[in-house]
Amino acid sequence: MPAPRGNRSERALLRGAQAGRREDLEELFRRYWPTSYRAAYFVVYDRAAAEDIAQEAFLSALRALQRFDRRRPFGPWLHRIVVNRAIDWARARALRPEAEQVDAPAPERAERDEELLAELGRLSPEHRAVIVLRYLLEYTPGEIAELLELPRGTVNSRLRRGLDTLKERL
């Protein structure tokens, strides 16, 4: 019986995944699926779309895995793909006013949290993305700038404007 892979280093998993080991690919998926799905969900506010976006991002990452530099962390690279796809999806949805807007049920939380989530959903995808990356996935503004290939000042501006809008609405 093979040893459990849950405690293997990310670098070892990436090396195995690049060599085509299914178990290592599965472990990367298990490790990064929850945060990838959550990031997509909080940008698009659509459970089915978030699942599709996260899955497509994983597939895209797997297709590019041979070019990935194992010395860099995998999570930020994957989250960049997820968030960019989620922003693109949200923009495309905004351009299709005929598309039915489905209100996904808010997670079971306190009423205040539900209100916050609803207001977060009303922000632009660009503002939602930086807030999700900063406060839910806990990236620094510098890391967010690198992930989204934006100037750090733009990230700070989007964070400030998004948070100011939330504060006004709440």
Side-chain angles (χ1 to χ4, degrees):
M1 181 172 226
R5 298 190 178 269
N7 59 359
R8 292 189 61 206
S9 75
E10 180 178 278
R11 200 174 276 181
L13 289 172
L14 287 168
R15 195 172 28 259
Q18 286 175 326
R21 281 197 289 275
R22 185 178 58 94
E23 301 85 13
D24 292 334
L25 290 168
E26 289 173 354
E27 180 60 26
L28 284 171
F29 183 83
R30 275 191 294 279
R31 284 187 187 184
Y32 290 101
W33 173 256
T35 55
S36 296
Y37 170 80
R38 204 167 63 175
Y41 175 77
F42 283 115
V43 173
V44 301
Y45 273 85
D46 181 306
R47 292 181 192 279
E51 190 168 319
D52 289 346
I53 290 163
Q55 287 175 2
E56 289 171 13
F58 264 99
L59 290 174
S60 178
L62 291 178
R63 283 191 287 276
L65 199 54
Q66 293 304 321
R67 296 185 310 269
F68 179 71
D69 180 359
R70 287 190 310 256
R71 294 172 296 187
R72 300 189 62 138
F74 180 75
W77 180 66
L78 176 63
H79 291 144
R80 173 181 171 192
I81 296 169
V82 169
V83 169
N84 283 334
R85 285 181 180 261
I87 289 170
D88 290 345
W89 186 93
R91 284 178 181 157
R93 181 176 173 177
L95 294 174
R96 294 185 320 264
E98 72 281 357
E100 181 179 334
Q101 299 284 332
V102 178
D103 290 330
E108 292 181 15
R109 296 176 184 250
E111 187 175 309
R112 184 77 173 154
D113 288 345
E114 289 179 15
E115 183 182 2
L116 175 61
L117 290 174
E119 291 302 331
L120 184 61
R122 291 179 52 205
L123 294 176
S124 72
E126 293 82 8
H127 289 114
R128 273 196 311 263
V130 295
I131 289 173
V132 166
L133 287 167
R134 178 70 182 109
Y135 296 103
L136 297 176
L137 298 179
E138 300 179 348
Y139 285 103
T140 66
E143 291 169 331
I144 296 168
E146 187 177 321
L147 280 171
L148 299 179
E149 295 180 341
L150 294 170
R152 185 167 176 165
T154 301
V155 169
N156 289 337
S157 173
R158 287 181 183 177
L159 278 170
R160 177 55 31 222
R161 287 184 183 147
L163 293 173
D164 287 347
T165 301
L166 286 175
K167 184 178 176 183
E168 289 171 16
R169 292 177 180 172
L170 294 173

